[in-house]
Amino acid sequence: MKLAATLFKLGAWALLLAAPVAPASAQLGLPSLNLPGGLGRTGLDTLRAPVERLLDRSPLPELGRLRLDQVDTLLRRHPQLIDADPFGNPAVRGEILAWNPSEQGLRAARDAGLAVAREEAYPELDQRLVVLRAPAGAATAALLAALRRADPEGSYDFNHVYLGAGLAAPGPLAAPRDRAAAPAEGLRVGLIDSGVDRRHEVFADAALRLWGCEGRTHPAPHGTAVAALMVGQSAAFRGAAPGAGLYAADVYCDSPVGGSVERIAAALAWLARERVGVINISLVGPGNAALARAVAAMQARGHLLVAAVGNDGPAAPALYPASYPGVVGVTGVDRRGRPLPEAARGPQVMFAAPGSQMVSAAPGAPPYRQVRGTSFAAPIVAALLAPRLPHPDPDLARSALASLAREAGANAGRDEAIGYGTIGAAVRIDPATMR
């Protein structure tokens, strides 16, 4: 129990150094951002490298500037929808989130010229989220500061936009060799990401429950690859928990403002309502007061949230939600068990899992591509935790974490590179095994 208590007190710091990477037009596998011709859902489908190139020893590019390049692209291409906060983080333009606001807080908002744009009650979390709209031409940062001064007990922040933490290689892969699949029937696990291509062969026998986008589907490379690593299975592929039921929330829906805190909070409330014990979030962004409250509410109910720690670099400032206390932060390692050079380090790293020299599913043709990043390590850990926490329960959640830590080698200590150790090595499908 001492180990379990320690695991629930993990806090923050870690990432933002950048290393050179391939141009934006050579990056695929991120949540769809509706960016024409580049980082969007089909950005790399026009680039085709010979199969031999993917099977040689040439390494994939490092990811140190991937998120920063995405942020820059969003701000340049969608200035009417997205603005930068004072630290350069993307946020929905002109919106402020108020989490469980008091009447005093709403009165202060009205006095500052803010109007209620949307309001959502989350009875599952015993919370309420109010989206405030700034008047045209007003500086959102100045209004937020004034609101915080007027109601220091309240919880107010930007409606930040969160991004994925990984990429997929541009070239096609040959079909992988057959791998036996052992179904994990009766299990359930949650996912908050971009859309999943439910038509892909790895989900042919999967029990998928999809949420978001008003019932429409928007398959995306990032969400599809992450979901496959959790529950996918076919004659050619096996995820960490094949056959498990996947509750997948699409918080992007091919929108430039997809991945906002507002959408993530709504997805968490849905998963709380469905009583899904373990939830994977392979998204990264800044600390946010509303997101912190939503995470804490989920943890109080006994959910385990698993999150990628990000790829901004080992000395960069912390990214969230992985850096919130109690969130299971996951880093990626290569086939030799070495941490990815671009991966975050720090007290938020709880576990490591394969995150490089590996294959996952992709929409369209070819159906499998190489992936890299902490985004693809986190779902492996989430899927391995799922059997230990079939439904939310605080005591069982602590026991599940302690059990996985022991399996990872916690008795040998913990460091800031791989946390309590590496798990899930057998899930990696190496591109070198392709025919």
Side-chain angles (χ1 to χ4, degrees), residues 26 28 44-45 47-49 53-54 60 167-172 369-370:
L28 177 71
L44 270 199
D45 287 347
L47 299 181
R48 293 289 181 258
R53 174 175 171 77
L54 292 179
L60 281 170
L167 63 79
R369 294 183 184 159
Q370 191 171 202

Side-chain angles (χ1 to χ4, degrees), residues 183-196:
E185 296 178 1
L187 300 181
R188 299 192 309 160
V189 63
L191 173 63
I192 297 177
D193 210 289
S194 53
V196 176

Side-chain angles (χ1 to χ4, degrees), residues 331-341 343-345 349 351-358 372 377 408 415-426 428 430:
T331 190
V333 295
D334 64 17
R335 64 163 66 96
R336 297 182 181 178
R338 300 172 301 191
L340 303 185
R345 299 194 183 196
V349 180
F351 296 103
S356 179
Q357 292 119 356
M358 59 192 287
R372 178 184 178 114
D415 64 42
E416 295 188 341
I418 61 171
Y420 288 98
T422 300
I423 58 175
R428 174 188 282 113
D430 197 308

